Amino acid sequence: MFVLVTGVIAGCAAETPKAPAAPMIVQPGAPGNPGQTLAATALPTVADALYMASDVLFMQGMIPHHA
C-alpha cells in the first residue's frame, strides 16, 4: 500500500501545469473570402474599430436569425 500511494503522489507531483493558450482573434473576410487569424497584439487596433447604430441593429438581428 505504501508503494502505491507513493507512486500516485509522485506521479501527480511530476505533472506541470499547462500555460493558458494565447487568445485567438479571427477576423472574418468579406463574403467569399477567407478570414484571417490575428495576433493578440492586434487586439487594441481591432477593438478601436468604429461602428454605427445600424451595425448594432444588424448584429442583434443576426442572433435570432442564426438561432
Side-chain angles (χ1 to χ4, degrees), residues 14 28 33 37 61 64:
N33 293 324
T37 302

Side-chain angles (χ1 to χ4, degrees), residues 23-44:
M24 183 171 56
I25 303 166
V26 178
Q27 182 178 26
N33 293 324
Q36 60 181 339
T37 302
L38 304 175
T41 55
L43 183 59

Side-chain angles (χ1 to χ4, degrees), residues 4-67:
L4 177 61
V5 173
T6 303
V8 171
I9 292 173
C12 292
E15 293 182 21
T16 56
K18 295 180 181 178
M24 183 171 56
I25 303 166
V26 178
Q27 182 178 26
N33 293 324
Q36 60 181 339
T37 302
L38 304 175
T41 55
L43 183 59
T45 57
V46 174
D48 290 339
L50 299 176
Y51 60 91
M52 301 184 311
S54 58
D55 297 323
V56 174
L57 289 173
F58 175 79
M59 292 306 296
Q60 288 175 337
M62 287 295 103
I63 295 169
H65 170 74
H66 285 279

